[in-house]
């Protein structure tokens, strides 16, 4: 446990790129929720155009539980993909506003490729690759991504993938369905109007 907020010393070793005494699996516990280090410099050198590649040292954080429950979309359609979903444009901004203050002004924005285009983002759902290390339920036409590796946290501690509730991932599974992790631990999918947990990923630096 790293405490209840990011200390000046912790922030300094993140920003100087040494990450001294910070390890994948360490966490801050705030208001009963564990915000866990899931990877280090995951997005470094990623981005388009060239000038938008992430160079800032950073750590990725994934909470141990969901931060709310939402539909992926208000209609059973995946047209426009995750980028144009209710989840991305309505739910996640609300989730961002409820994140602990210790993270709020330290979140790293970055460029992400999803749904056929690059766009600037900060707090998102994970995709299947980040959790499983591969695609399982994602539609074959919706797999190109800039998040191409399994998060170190889930490689080292796969039991942390399953948290006892269903939570959404951002991949399109079909014309009406998105991917998710079920409460039983299997890779699954369901209708976009279904209401499931929101377990986001974001970086600080």
């Amino acid at each position: 446990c790293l405490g209840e907020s990011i200390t000046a010393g912790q922030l300094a070793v993140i920003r100087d790129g040494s990450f001294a005494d910070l390890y994948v699996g360490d966490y801050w516990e705030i208001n009963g929720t564990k915000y866990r280090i899931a990877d280090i410099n995951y997005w470094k050198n990623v981005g388009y155009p060239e000038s938008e590649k992430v160079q800032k040292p950073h750590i990725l954080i994934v909470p141990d539980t969901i931060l709310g429950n939402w539909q992926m979309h208000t209609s059973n359609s995946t047209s426009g993909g995750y980028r144009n979903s209710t989840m991305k444009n309505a739910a996640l901004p609300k989730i961002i506003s409820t994140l602990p203050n210790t993270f709020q002004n330290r979140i790293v924005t970055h460029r992400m490729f999803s749904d056929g285009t690059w766009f600037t983002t900060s707090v998102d759902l994970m995709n299947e690759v980040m959790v499983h290390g591969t695609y399982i339920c994602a539609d074959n036409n919706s797999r190109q991504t800039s998040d191409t590796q399994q998060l170190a946290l889930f490689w080292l501690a796969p039991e942390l993938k399953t948290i006892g509730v269903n939570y959404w991932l951002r991949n399109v599974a079909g014309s009406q369905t998105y991917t998710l992790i079920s409460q039983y631990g299997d890779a699954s999918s369901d209708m976009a109007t279904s209401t499931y947990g929101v377990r986001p990923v974001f970086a600080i630096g």
Side-chain angles (χ1 to χ4, degrees):
C1 181
L2 299 171
E4 296 182 350
S5 64
I6 301 170
T7 67
Q10 290 165 353
L11 186 61
V13 298
I14 293 170
R15 289 181 170 173
D16 70 17
S18 69
F19 306 102
D21 288 329
L22 296 178
Y23 299 91
V24 171
D26 290 353
Y27 61 90
W28 292 271
E29 187 163 4
I30 305 169
N31 298 324
T33 298
K34 293 178 181 177
Y35 294 87
R36 200 174 292 270
I37 297 176
D39 216 310
I40 294 172
N41 278 345
Y42 185 86
W43 288 314
K44 191 166 185 180
N45 296 326
V46 174
Y48 178 84
E50 187 80 18
S51 61
E52 297 296 319
K53 285 184 175 182
V54 176
Q55 298 300 327
K56 191 175 188 178
H58 58 275
I59 60 172
L60 260 65
I61 294 176
V62 174
D64 276 7
T65 187
I66 61 171
L67 302 185
N69 291 279
W70 287 81
Q71 298 172 310
M72 279 297 297
H73 204 56
T74 52
S75 65
N76 277 322
S77 172
T78 58
S79 178
Y82 164 75
R83 187 169 60 90
N84 293 300
S85 68
T86 303
M87 175 66 70
K88 176 60 178 169
N89 295 300
L92 283 167
K94 291 182 183 298
I95 295 292
I96 293 169
S97 70
T98 65
L99 288 174
N101 291 336
T102 194
F103 301 134
Q104 285 281 356
N105 62 352
R106 294 161 178 159
I107 294 175
V108 175
T109 59
H110 64 103
R111 298 282 285 173
M112 181 172 77
F113 190 91
S114 181
D115 307 306
T117 190
W118 287 94
F119 60 96
T120 301
T121 189
S122 60
V123 178
D124 287 285
L125 299 186
M126 296 177 283
N127 67 8
E128 283 198 309
V129 173
M130 296 172 92
V131 178
H132 302 300
T134 188
Y135 288 115
I136 300 174
C137 297
D139 181 270
N140 286 334
N141 297 318
S142 305
R143 296 188 173 192
Q144 188 175 359
T145 181
S146 52
D147 294 334
T148 59
Q149 297 186 69
Q150 185 180 31
L151 295 178
L153 177 67
F154 298 128
W155 183 81
L156 292 166
E159 68 272 16
L160 292 177
K161 292 193 293 183
T162 306
I163 58 174
V165 296
N166 300 324
Y167 63 92
W168 287 115
L169 300 178
R170 69 174 186 253
N171 296 105
V172 169
S175 62
Q176 297 181 307
T177 56
Y178 283 90
T179 55
L180 60 95
I181 305 291
S182 90
Q183 61 186 311
Y184 308 109
D186 60 304
S188 189
S189 63
D190 207 345
M191 292 292 185
T193 53
S194 299
T195 298
Y196 292 130
V198 180
R199 189 186 187 191
V201 60
F202 59 94
I204 59 170

